[in-house]
Amino acid sequence: MPTATAIAHPNIAVCKYWGKRDRTLNLPAVPSLSLTVAPFHSRTTLEWGSDAEEYWLNSQLADASTHKKIKRVLDLMDPWRPKCRVVSENNFPTAAGLASSSSGMAALVVAAHAASGQQRTTEELSAFARQGSGSACRSLFGGWSEWPLGSRMDGGDSHGVPIAPPEHWDLRMVVAMVAAGPKETSSTDGMTHCADTSPYYTAWVACAPADVEQGRTAILRRDLYSLGRIMERSTLRMHACMMGSDPPLCYWQAGTMAAIHMVEDLRRHGLSCYYTIDAGPNVKVLCSVSDVEVVRNHLLKVAERVEVLSPGPGARVV
Ligand code: DP6
């Protein structure tokens, strides 16, 4: 039976996707911008036409919600498909706010595409990945990518768009893991809860497009100071929206705040480093290559584990 293996790297948003304008098609309420990062990756092998329909994630059968997302994407790629066996491994913590769903879904569509012998464009694959997990549509591309708001009702124009390749700007993303366990509230549930109950949600949606416009310009100009400020603004506005929901949603832990203070302190000492936080307690710090060792050593004082990531390539068959 045809089998293919794909690798995809997670992407970390510098301007966040948080909120859906269509929950069925998984269309975003805001545009977003991200950096695909290596060496964190998902490695996925897919048998197209296996004896059983089975999805394995990190040596265990996928939980109900992940199973549903994988099945949905495979059914969309080919409604008349045969049974598939999917075996996927992450070389970094899963569902801990480290974007494992972005790399997982991107690797899935690339493996399914190769194993099934389909002939689709990367944009089409990105749109399929989006239906499994929104942020995954950006991991089809290496380096910097954007997920524009799009305007088509059917979501046909809702896919990742490459902005600049990995070699455009040699920066580092230092991950301070303050807790590695899985999060209690998924991003999907968190953003639905915000849209339904947070009085700040409308303001969040209204502010996001300007952040993406300015963020894209800062990336193209390799302006770390501006990008860092925009990234922190987008991060804090997204988390303010979560904290304003009812009951409140807060992904932060004590170590999250300690890492934020550490980054602010390093800046006071002249380093150019900026933080971002997703739907989990871990903190990612964007900095120049020359500052990475100092940033890493200081974050080790507040984090259980620190990893240094670099701009990485897009999803691919191996
Ligand atoms: C905070 O892509 O995981 O990481 O589309 O519901 O699967 P679903 O959500 P998901 O959300 C990611 C949210 C974020 C910000 C971002 O990556 O842009």
mmCIF file of all heavy atoms in Angstrom, residues 88-139:
data_model
loop_
_atom_site.group_PDB
_atom_site.id
_atom_site.type_symbol
_atom_site.label_atom_id
_atom_site.label_comp_id
_atom_site.label_asym_id
_atom_site.label_seq_id
_atom_site.Cartn_x
_atom_site.Cartn_y
_atom_site.Cartn_z
ATOM 1 N N SER A 88 2.306 9.439 14.131
ATOM 2 C CA SER A 88 2.962 10.740 14.224
ATOM 3 C C SER A 88 3.715 10.875 15.547
ATOM 4 O O SER A 88 3.227 10.427 16.596
ATOM 5 C CB SER A 88 1.889 11.835 14.116
ATOM 6 O OG SER A 88 2.502 13.091 14.012
ATOM 7 N N GLU A 89 4.894 11.438 15.468
ATOM 8 C CA GLU A 89 5.721 11.660 16.678
ATOM 9 C C GLU A 89 6.156 13.113 16.708
ATOM 10 O O GLU A 89 6.582 13.648 15.690
ATOM 11 C CB GLU A 89 7.001 10.791 16.622
ATOM 12 C CG GLU A 89 6.778 9.294 16.588
ATOM 13 C CD GLU A 89 6.296 8.726 17.918
ATOM 14 O OE1 GLU A 89 6.595 9.331 18.960
ATOM 15 O OE2 GLU A 89 5.599 7.678 17.890
ATOM 16 N N ASN A 90 6.093 13.706 17.896
ATOM 17 C CA ASN A 90 6.638 15.064 18.075
ATOM 18 C C ASN A 90 7.939 14.960 18.853
ATOM 19 O O ASN A 90 8.001 14.205 19.832
ATOM 20 C CB ASN A 90 5.662 15.938 18.879
ATOM 21 C CG ASN A 90 4.370 16.181 18.129
ATOM 22 O OD1 ASN A 90 4.356 16.189 16.903
ATOM 23 N ND2 ASN A 90 3.284 16.365 18.862
ATOM 24 N N ASN A 91 8.951 15.702 18.472
ATOM 25 C CA ASN A 91 10.207 15.682 19.241
ATOM 26 C C ASN A 91 10.234 16.810 20.283
ATOM 27 O O ASN A 91 11.285 17.274 20.667
ATOM 28 C CB ASN A 91 11.433 15.733 18.322
ATOM 29 C CG ASN A 91 11.593 17.089 17.660
ATOM 30 O OD1 ASN A 91 10.697 17.916 17.689
ATOM 31 N ND2 ASN A 91 12.748 17.311 17.045
ATOM 32 N N PHE A 92 9.039 17.257 20.704
ATOM 33 C CA PHE A 92 8.915 18.319 21.708
ATOM 34 C C PHE A 92 7.554 18.136 22.393
ATOM 35 O O PHE A 92 6.703 17.398 21.879
ATOM 36 C CB PHE A 92 9.060 19.691 21.045
ATOM 37 C CG PHE A 92 7.986 20.022 20.036
ATOM 38 C CD1 PHE A 92 6.954 20.890 20.356
ATOM 39 C CD2 PHE A 92 7.996 19.450 18.768
ATOM 40 C CE1 PHE A 92 5.955 21.201 19.439
ATOM 41 C CE2 PHE A 92 6.996 19.747 17.837
ATOM 42 C CZ PHE A 92 5.986 20.617 18.173
ATOM 43 N N PRO A 93 7.300 18.795 23.558
ATOM 44 C CA PRO A 93 6.043 18.555 24.286
ATOM 45 C C PRO A 93 4.792 18.877 23.459
ATOM 46 O O PRO A 93 4.744 19.877 22.745
ATOM 47 C CB PRO A 93 6.150 19.490 25.495
ATOM 48 C CG PRO A 93 7.611 19.702 25.688
ATOM 49 C CD PRO A 93 8.214 19.675 24.307
ATOM 50 N N THR A 94 3.801 17.973 23.569
ATOM 51 C CA THR A 94 2.565 18.076 22.791
ATOM 52 C C THR A 94 1.508 18.852 23.589
ATOM 53 O O THR A 94 1.385 18.671 24.797
ATOM 54 C CB THR A 94 2.069 16.649 22.481
ATOM 55 O OG1 THR A 94 3.102 15.993 21.728
ATOM 56 C CG2 THR A 94 0.782 16.637 21.683
ATOM 57 N N ALA A 95 0.731 19.706 22.894
ATOM 58 C CA ALA A 95 -0.402 20.438 23.498
ATOM 59 C C ALA A 95 -0.012 21.240 24.726
ATOM 60 O O ALA A 95 -0.759 21.342 25.686
ATOM 61 C CB ALA A 95 -1.538 19.468 23.833
ATOM 62 N N ALA A 96 1.206 21.812 24.693
ATOM 63 C CA ALA A 96 1.669 22.592 25.844
ATOM 64 C C ALA A 96 1.857 24.063 25.457
ATOM 65 O O ALA A 96 2.657 24.766 26.055
ATOM 66 C CB ALA A 96 2.986 22.013 26.361
ATOM 67 N N GLY A 97 1.138 24.507 24.426
ATOM 68 C CA GLY A 97 1.307 25.888 23.976
ATOM 69 C C GLY A 97 2.591 26.062 23.185
ATOM 70 O O GLY A 97 3.120 27.156 23.079
ATOM 71 N N LEU A 98 3.102 24.959 22.620
ATOM 72 C CA LEU A 98 4.311 25.037 21.785
ATOM 73 C C LEU A 98 3.981 24.730 20.325
ATOM 74 O O LEU A 98 4.830 24.313 19.559
ATOM 75 C CB LEU A 98 5.390 24.087 22.315
ATOM 76 C CG LEU A 98 5.933 24.425 23.704
ATOM 77 C CD1 LEU A 98 6.870 23.346 24.220
ATOM 78 C CD2 LEU A 98 6.668 25.764 23.685
ATOM 79 N N ALA A 99 2.707 24.911 19.977
ATOM 80 C CA ALA A 99 2.272 24.833 18.580
ATOM 81 C C ALA A 99 2.417 23.442 17.960
ATOM 82 O O ALA A 99 2.664 23.312 16.765
ATOM 83 C CB ALA A 99 2.989 25.890 17.738
ATOM 84 N N SER A 100 2.254 22.382 18.787
ATOM 85 C CA SER A 100 2.377 21.026 18.237
ATOM 86 C C SER A 100 1.254 20.710 17.251
ATOM 87 O O SER A 100 1.438 19.891 16.349
ATOM 88 C CB SER A 100 2.408 19.985 19.357
ATOM 89 O OG SER A 100 1.258 20.088 20.154
ATOM 90 N N SER A 101 0.093 21.363 17.393
ATOM 91 C CA SER A 101 -0.974 21.068 16.434
ATOM 92 C C SER A 101 -0.629 21.664 15.070
ATOM 93 O O SER A 101 -1.033 21.128 14.038
ATOM 94 C CB SER A 101 -2.336 21.547 16.927
ATOM 95 O OG SER A 101 -2.351 22.944 17.037
ATOM 96 N N SER A 102 0.147 22.750 15.050
ATOM 97 C CA SER A 102 0.476 23.352 13.747
ATOM 98 C C SER A 102 1.395 22.425 12.956
ATOM 99 O O SER A 102 1.172 22.170 11.773
ATOM 100 C CB SER A 102 1.096 24.747 13.918
ATOM 101 O OG SER A 102 2.370 24.696 14.522
ATOM 102 N N SER A 103 2.419 21.870 13.619
ATOM 103 C CA SER A 103 3.325 20.979 12.888
ATOM 104 C C SER A 103 2.636 19.647 12.580
ATOM 105 O O SER A 103 2.828 19.072 11.506
ATOM 106 C CB SER A 103 4.607 20.749 13.686
ATOM 107 O OG SER A 103 4.315 20.381 15.012
ATOM 108 N N GLY A 104 1.813 19.175 13.513
ATOM 109 C CA GLY A 104 1.138 17.876 13.328
ATOM 110 C C GLY A 104 0.214 17.881 12.122
ATOM 111 O O GLY A 104 0.257 16.972 11.286
ATOM 112 N N MET A 105 -0.624 18.902 12.009
ATOM 113 C CA MET A 105 -1.580 18.951 10.892
ATOM 114 C C MET A 105 -0.877 19.218 9.566
ATOM 115 O O MET A 105 -1.278 18.694 8.525
ATOM 116 C CB MET A 105 -2.651 20.022 11.152
ATOM 117 C CG MET A 105 -3.671 19.604 12.158
ATOM 118 S SD MET A 105 -4.617 18.164 11.578
ATOM 119 C CE MET A 105 -5.216 17.551 13.143
ATOM 120 N N ALA A 106 0.191 20.024 9.603
ATOM 121 C CA ALA A 106 0.928 20.296 8.355
ATOM 122 C C ALA A 106 1.611 19.018 7.858
ATOM 123 O O ALA A 106 1.569 18.703 6.661
ATOM 124 C CB ALA A 106 1.954 21.407 8.587
ATOM 125 N N ALA A 107 2.208 18.253 8.781
ATOM 126 C CA ALA A 107 2.858 16.997 8.376
ATOM 127 C C ALA A 107 1.809 16.010 7.862
ATOM 128 O O ALA A 107 2.048 15.278 6.888
ATOM 129 C CB ALA A 107 3.630 16.403 9.552
ATOM 130 N N LEU A 108 0.640 16.008 8.485
ATOM 131 C CA LEU A 108 -0.427 15.088 8.060
ATOM 132 C C LEU A 108 -0.831 15.333 6.603
ATOM 133 O O LEU A 108 -0.893 14.388 5.802
ATOM 134 C CB LEU A 108 -1.656 15.260 8.975
ATOM 135 C CG LEU A 108 -2.873 14.447 8.563
ATOM 136 C CD1 LEU A 108 -2.695 12.979 8.948
ATOM 137 C CD2 LEU A 108 -4.157 14.999 9.185
ATOM 138 N N VAL A 109 -1.098 16.593 6.236
ATOM 139 C CA VAL A 109 -1.575 16.835 4.868
ATOM 140 C C VAL A 109 -0.480 16.554 3.837
ATOM 141 O O VAL A 109 -0.772 16.038 2.756
ATOM 142 C CB VAL A 109 -2.157 18.266 4.656
ATOM 143 C CG1 VAL A 109 -3.388 18.490 5.499
ATOM 144 C CG2 VAL A 109 -1.144 19.349 4.898
ATOM 145 N N VAL A 110 0.768 16.849 4.186
ATOM 146 C CA VAL A 110 1.857 16.599 3.230
ATOM 147 C C VAL A 110 2.061 15.088 3.043
ATOM 148 O O VAL A 110 2.231 14.607 1.919
ATOM 149 C CB VAL A 110 3.150 17.314 3.684
ATOM 150 C CG1 VAL A 110 4.340 16.889 2.839
ATOM 151 C CG2 VAL A 110 2.959 18.819 3.582
ATOM 152 N N ALA A 111 1.973 14.324 4.133
ATOM 153 C CA ALA A 111 2.107 12.857 4.027
ATOM 154 C C ALA A 111 0.933 12.272 3.248
ATOM 155 O O ALA A 111 1.113 11.411 2.373
ATOM 156 C CB ALA A 111 2.215 12.238 5.422
ATOM 157 N N ALA A 112 -0.289 12.751 3.529
ATOM 158 C CA ALA A 112 -1.475 12.222 2.837
ATOM 159 C C ALA A 112 -1.410 12.556 1.347
ATOM 160 O O ALA A 112 -1.764 11.728 0.496
ATOM 161 C CB ALA A 112 -2.749 12.803 3.462
ATOM 162 N N HIS A 113 -0.956 13.736 1.041
ATOM 163 C CA HIS A 113 -0.838 14.177 -0.352
ATOM 164 C C HIS A 113 0.123 13.264 -1.121
ATOM 165 O O HIS A 113 -0.190 12.768 -2.206
ATOM 166 C CB HIS A 113 -0.322 15.629 -0.355
ATOM 167 C CG HIS A 113 -0.244 16.245 -1.705
ATOM 168 N ND1 HIS A 113 0.939 16.687 -2.248
ATOM 169 C CD2 HIS A 113 -1.188 16.508 -2.625
ATOM 170 C CE1 HIS A 113 0.714 17.189 -3.441
ATOM 171 N NE2 HIS A 113 -0.573 17.098 -3.700
ATOM 172 N N ALA A 114 1.275 12.989 -0.509
ATOM 173 C CA ALA A 114 2.282 12.149 -1.179
ATOM 174 C C ALA A 114 1.796 10.706 -1.288
ATOM 175 O O ALA A 114 1.921 10.077 -2.346
ATOM 176 C CB ALA A 114 3.598 12.219 -0.415
ATOM 177 N N ALA A 115 1.213 10.176 -0.203
ATOM 178 C CA ALA A 115 0.803 8.760 -0.216
ATOM 179 C C ALA A 115 -0.351 8.526 -1.184
ATOM 180 O O ALA A 115 -0.453 7.467 -1.804
ATOM 181 C CB ALA A 115 0.422 8.321 1.201
ATOM 182 N N SER A 116 -1.223 9.517 -1.335
ATOM 183 C CA SER A 116 -2.415 9.322 -2.180
ATOM 184 C C SER A 116 -2.134 9.638 -3.642
ATOM 185 O O SER A 116 -2.980 9.377 -4.504
ATOM 186 C CB SER A 116 -3.543 10.226 -1.683
ATOM 187 O OG SER A 116 -3.160 11.588 -1.825
ATOM 188 N N GLY A 117 -0.990 10.260 -3.912
ATOM 189 C CA GLY A 117 -0.650 10.582 -5.304
ATOM 190 C C GLY A 117 -1.444 11.748 -5.864
ATOM 191 O O GLY A 117 -1.548 11.916 -7.079
ATOM 192 N N GLN A 118 -2.022 12.585 -4.967
ATOM 193 C CA GLN A 118 -2.774 13.745 -5.459
ATOM 194 C C GLN A 118 -1.808 14.797 -6.015
ATOM 195 O O GLN A 118 -0.612 14.775 -5.725
ATOM 196 C CB GLN A 118 -3.583 14.374 -4.312
ATOM 197 C CG GLN A 118 -4.645 13.455 -3.744
ATOM 198 C CD GLN A 118 -5.397 14.100 -2.570
ATOM 199 O OE1 GLN A 118 -5.192 15.260 -2.223
ATOM 200 N NE2 GLN A 118 -6.283 13.317 -1.969
ATOM 201 N N GLN A 119 -2.344 15.721 -6.818
ATOM 202 C CA GLN A 119 -1.528 16.804 -7.388
ATOM 203 C C GLN A 119 -2.142 18.127 -6.961
ATOM 204 O O GLN A 119 -3.000 18.669 -7.633
ATOM 205 C CB GLN A 119 -1.535 16.713 -8.920
ATOM 206 C CG GLN A 119 -0.913 15.454 -9.475
ATOM 207 C CD GLN A 119 0.595 15.432 -9.268
ATOM 208 O OE1 GLN A 119 1.257 16.456 -9.292
ATOM 209 N NE2 GLN A 119 1.142 14.241 -9.030
ATOM 210 N N ARG A 120 -1.734 18.616 -5.799
ATOM 211 C CA ARG A 120 -2.320 19.869 -5.306
ATOM 212 C C ARG A 120 -1.226 20.890 -5.050
ATOM 213 O O ARG A 120 -0.068 20.548 -4.877
ATOM 214 C CB ARG A 120 -3.078 19.614 -4.003
ATOM 215 C CG ARG A 120 -4.206 18.608 -4.151
ATOM 216 C CD ARG A 120 -5.069 18.674 -2.927
ATOM 217 N NE ARG A 120 -6.083 17.660 -2.899
ATOM 218 C CZ ARG A 120 -7.332 17.835 -3.328
ATOM 219 N NH1 ARG A 120 -7.698 18.985 -3.862
ATOM 220 N NH2 ARG A 120 -8.214 16.864 -3.220
ATOM 221 N N THR A 121 -1.613 22.160 -4.996
ATOM 222 C CA THR A 121 -0.637 23.213 -4.711
ATOM 223 C C THR A 121 -0.417 23.297 -3.198
ATOM 224 O O THR A 121 -1.233 22.797 -2.399
ATOM 225 C CB THR A 121 -1.155 24.585 -5.183
ATOM 226 O OG1 THR A 121 -2.342 24.884 -4.422
ATOM 227 C CG2 THR A 121 -1.487 24.572 -6.666
ATOM 228 N N THR A 122 0.686 23.954 -2.814
ATOM 229 C CA THR A 122 0.961 24.138 -1.384
ATOM 230 C C THR A 122 -0.158 24.965 -0.746
ATOM 231 O O THR A 122 -0.530 24.741 0.410
ATOM 232 C CB THR A 122 2.323 24.844 -1.197
ATOM 233 O OG1 THR A 122 3.281 24.146 -1.989
ATOM 234 C CG2 THR A 122 2.775 24.820 0.235
ATOM 235 N N GLU A 123 -0.726 25.922 -1.489
ATOM 236 C CA GLU A 123 -1.824 26.736 -0.943
ATOM 237 C C GLU A 123 -3.036 25.852 -0.641
ATOM 238 O O GLU A 123 -3.692 26.011 0.390
ATOM 239 C CB GLU A 123 -2.225 27.842 -1.939
ATOM 240 C CG GLU A 123 -1.302 29.041 -1.964
ATOM 241 C CD GLU A 123 0.052 28.746 -2.613
ATOM 242 O OE1 GLU A 123 0.149 27.765 -3.402
ATOM 243 O OE2 GLU A 123 1.015 29.484 -2.312
ATOM 244 N N GLU A 124 -3.334 24.909 -1.545
ATOM 245 C CA GLU A 124 -4.470 24.006 -1.294
ATOM 246 C C GLU A 124 -4.196 23.137 -0.053
ATOM 247 O O GLU A 124 -5.080 22.927 0.774
ATOM 248 C CB GLU A 124 -4.714 23.106 -2.510
ATOM 249 C CG GLU A 124 -5.359 23.820 -3.675
ATOM 250 C CD GLU A 124 -5.458 22.913 -4.906
ATOM 251 O OE1 GLU A 124 -4.406 22.436 -5.400
ATOM 252 O OE2 GLU A 124 -6.579 22.685 -5.367
ATOM 253 N N LEU A 125 -2.961 22.637 0.057
ATOM 254 C CA LEU A 125 -2.621 21.818 1.236
ATOM 255 C C LEU A 125 -2.732 22.651 2.510
ATOM 256 O O LEU A 125 -3.192 22.173 3.548
ATOM 257 C CB LEU A 125 -1.217 21.234 1.092
ATOM 258 C CG LEU A 125 -1.034 20.228 -0.035
ATOM 259 C CD1 LEU A 125 0.390 19.687 -0.040
ATOM 260 C CD2 LEU A 125 -2.037 19.086 0.079
ATOM 261 N N SER A 126 -2.317 23.914 2.409
ATOM 262 C CA SER A 126 -2.401 24.810 3.563
ATOM 263 C C SER A 126 -3.864 24.987 3.990
ATOM 264 O O SER A 126 -4.184 24.995 5.194
ATOM 265 C CB SER A 126 -1.771 26.158 3.178
ATOM 266 O OG SER A 126 -2.007 27.114 4.159
ATOM 267 N N ALA A 127 -4.759 25.105 3.008
ATOM 268 C CA ALA A 127 -6.189 25.270 3.332
ATOM 269 C C ALA A 127 -6.753 23.999 3.990
ATOM 270 O O ALA A 127 -7.594 24.083 4.882
ATOM 271 C CB ALA A 127 -6.972 25.627 2.077
ATOM 272 N N PHE A 128 -6.276 22.821 3.575
ATOM 273 C CA PHE A 128 -6.715 21.586 4.261
ATOM 274 C C PHE A 128 -6.202 21.560 5.695
ATOM 275 O O PHE A 128 -6.931 21.217 6.620
ATOM 276 C CB PHE A 128 -6.210 20.342 3.514
ATOM 277 C CG PHE A 128 -6.959 20.038 2.250
ATOM 278 C CD1 PHE A 128 -6.296 19.892 1.045
ATOM 279 C CD2 PHE A 128 -8.336 19.879 2.267
ATOM 280 C CE1 PHE A 128 -6.978 19.614 -0.127
ATOM 281 C CE2 PHE A 128 -9.043 19.592 1.104
ATOM 282 C CZ PHE A 128 -8.356 19.468 -0.101
ATOM 283 N N ALA A 129 -4.920 21.918 5.856
ATOM 284 C CA ALA A 129 -4.337 21.918 7.205
ATOM 285 C C ALA A 129 -5.120 22.869 8.117
ATOM 286 O O ALA A 129 -5.339 22.579 9.293
ATOM 287 C CB ALA A 129 -2.865 22.322 7.140
ATOM 288 N N ARG A 130 -5.536 24.004 7.557
ATOM 289 C CA ARG A 130 -6.318 24.990 8.321
ATOM 290 C C ARG A 130 -7.575 24.372 8.925
ATOM 291 O O ARG A 130 -7.990 24.702 10.037
ATOM 292 C CB ARG A 130 -6.724 26.133 7.376
ATOM 293 C CG ARG A 130 -7.541 27.219 8.021
ATOM 294 C CD ARG A 130 -8.362 27.982 6.988
ATOM 295 N NE ARG A 130 -9.627 27.359 6.699
ATOM 296 C CZ ARG A 130 -10.121 27.141 5.487
ATOM 297 N NH1 ARG A 130 -9.460 27.502 4.402
ATOM 298 N NH2 ARG A 130 -11.306 26.561 5.340
ATOM 299 N N GLN A 131 -8.179 23.429 8.183
ATOM 300 C CA GLN A 131 -9.433 22.846 8.666
ATOM 301 C C GLN A 131 -9.183 21.870 9.810
ATOM 302 O O GLN A 131 -10.098 21.517 10.544
ATOM 303 C CB GLN A 131 -10.160 22.154 7.517
ATOM 304 C CG GLN A 131 -10.366 23.098 6.362
ATOM 305 C CD GLN A 131 -11.790 23.118 5.860
ATOM 306 O OE1 GLN A 131 -12.731 22.873 6.599
ATOM 307 N NE2 GLN A 131 -11.959 23.390 4.596
ATOM 308 N N GLY A 132 -7.917 21.430 9.954
ATOM 309 C CA GLY A 132 -7.576 20.587 11.109
ATOM 310 C C GLY A 132 -7.204 21.446 12.299
ATOM 311 O O GLY A 132 -7.646 21.210 13.425
ATOM 312 N N SER A 133 -6.411 22.465 12.061
ATOM 313 C CA SER A 133 -6.023 23.415 13.097
ATOM 314 C C SER A 133 -5.578 24.687 12.383
ATOM 315 O O SER A 133 -4.694 24.636 11.520
ATOM 316 C CB SER A 133 -4.863 22.832 13.919
ATOM 317 O OG SER A 133 -4.622 23.656 15.029
ATOM 318 N N GLY A 134 -6.204 25.793 12.728
ATOM 319 C CA GLY A 134 -5.981 27.027 11.981
ATOM 320 C C GLY A 134 -4.511 27.370 11.795
ATOM 321 O O GLY A 134 -4.039 27.603 10.674
ATOM 322 N N SER A 135 -3.765 27.387 12.898
ATOM 323 C CA SER A 135 -2.371 27.824 12.838
ATOM 324 C C SER A 135 -1.530 26.920 11.928
ATOM 325 O O SER A 135 -0.483 27.336 11.433
ATOM 326 C CB SER A 135 -1.768 27.843 14.245
ATOM 327 O OG SER A 135 -1.941 26.588 14.861
ATOM 328 N N ALA A 136 -1.985 25.689 11.679
ATOM 329 C CA ALA A 136 -1.224 24.746 10.848
ATOM 330 C C ALA A 136 -1.064 25.250 9.421
ATOM 331 O O ALA A 136 -0.095 24.895 8.742
ATOM 332 C CB ALA A 136 -1.907 23.381 10.844
ATOM 333 N N CYS A 137 -1.981 26.090 8.951
ATOM 334 C CA CYS A 137 -1.884 26.548 7.549
ATOM 335 C C CYS A 137 -0.608 27.355 7.330
ATOM 336 O O CYS A 137 -0.136 27.474 6.207
ATOM 337 C CB CYS A 137 -3.128 27.328 7.141
ATOM 338 S SG CYS A 137 -3.220 29.001 7.788
ATOM 339 N N ARG A 138 -0.011 27.904 8.407
ATOM 340 C CA ARG A 138 1.226 28.686 8.260
ATOM 341 C C ARG A 138 2.464 27.797 8.249
ATOM 342 O O ARG A 138 3.531 28.232 7.814
ATOM 343 C CB ARG A 138 1.316 29.723 9.392
ATOM 344 C CG ARG A 138 0.107 30.693 9.437
ATOM 345 C CD ARG A 138 0.236 31.700 10.573
ATOM 346 N NE ARG A 138 0.483 31.038 11.836
ATOM 347 C CZ ARG A 138 -0.172 31.257 12.983
ATOM 348 N NH1 ARG A 138 -1.149 32.155 13.029
ATOM 349 N NH2 ARG A 138 0.122 30.608 14.075
ATOM 350 N N SER A 139 2.349 26.543 8.753
ATOM 351 C CA SER A 139 3.528 25.659 8.838
ATOM 352 C C SER A 139 3.862 24.975 7.520
ATOM 353 O O SER A 139 4.863 24.284 7.426
ATOM 354 C CB SER A 139 3.332 24.589 9.916
ATOM 355 O OG SER A 139 3.808 25.050 11.156
#
